[in-house]
Amino acid sequence: MSDSTIRNQRKSITGIVSSRSGDKTIKVEYAYKAPHPVYIKEISRKTIVVAHDEKNECGVGDKVVIEETRPLSKLKRWRVVSVIAKAPTVGV
């Protein structure tokens, strides 16, 4: 196999779209649990990452899978792989 056909394993995470900011850009929030450094109790944490949405198909509240990629801009290091579930629309 040539080097161009081999792709390294990339991180992928599932999260909720918290904001649409600009053309083809979304902010994705994902939650995780981490132990407290002193008391060892699990604490709920969240992280917000900026992701590239090439097709502009994501809306606020959608559940998406994003994957690591090369730097696309100052903050964008992730891209949308797929939309798992669309957010319910309210009274349209």
Side-chain angles (χ1 to χ4, degrees), residues 62-80:
D62 292 354
K63 191 171 187 178
V64 294
V65 175
I66 57 175
E67 176 181 73
E68 263 186 330
T69 187
R70 65 184 174 83
L72 298 172
S73 68
K74 180 180 175 183
L75 297 175
K76 283 200 265 187
R77 305 293 191 266
W78 298 83
R79 66 182 172 87
V80 174

Side-chain angles (χ1 to χ4, degrees), residues 13 15-16 18 27-32 45-49:
I13 57 176
I16 306 292
S18 61
K27 289 184 180 179
V28 178
E29 178 181 305
Y30 68 96
Y32 60 96
R45 299 285 196 156
K46 68 178 179 180
T47 299
I48 297 175
V49 294

Side-chain angles (χ1 to χ4, degrees), residues 30-42:
Y30 68 96
Y32 60 96
K33 292 188 181 272
H36 188 279
V38 175
Y39 300 114
I40 314 301
K41 179 182 177 180
E42 282 194 340

Side-chain angles (χ1 to χ4, degrees), residues 4-69:
S4 62
T5 59
I6 298 173
R7 174 175 271 192
N8 294 333
Q9 287 289 10
R10 297 182 180 195
K11 292 179 192 172
S12 65
I13 57 176
T14 303
I16 306 292
V17 177
S18 61
S19 154
R20 292 193 49 81
S21 53
D23 189 34
K24 298 184 180 183
T25 302
I26 60 172
K27 289 184 180 179
V28 178
E29 178 181 305
Y30 68 96
Y32 60 96
K33 292 188 181 272
H36 188 279
V38 175
Y39 300 114
I40 314 301
K41 179 182 177 180
E42 282 194 340
I43 303 171
S44 295
R45 299 285 196 156
K46 68 178 179 180
T47 299
I48 297 175
V49 294
V50 180
H52 183 68
D53 180 16
E54 182 62 37
K55 299 175 187 170
N56 273 330
E57 61 188 354
C58 299
V60 176
D62 292 354
K63 191 171 187 178
V64 294
V65 175
I66 57 175
E67 176 181 73
E68 263 186 330
T69 187

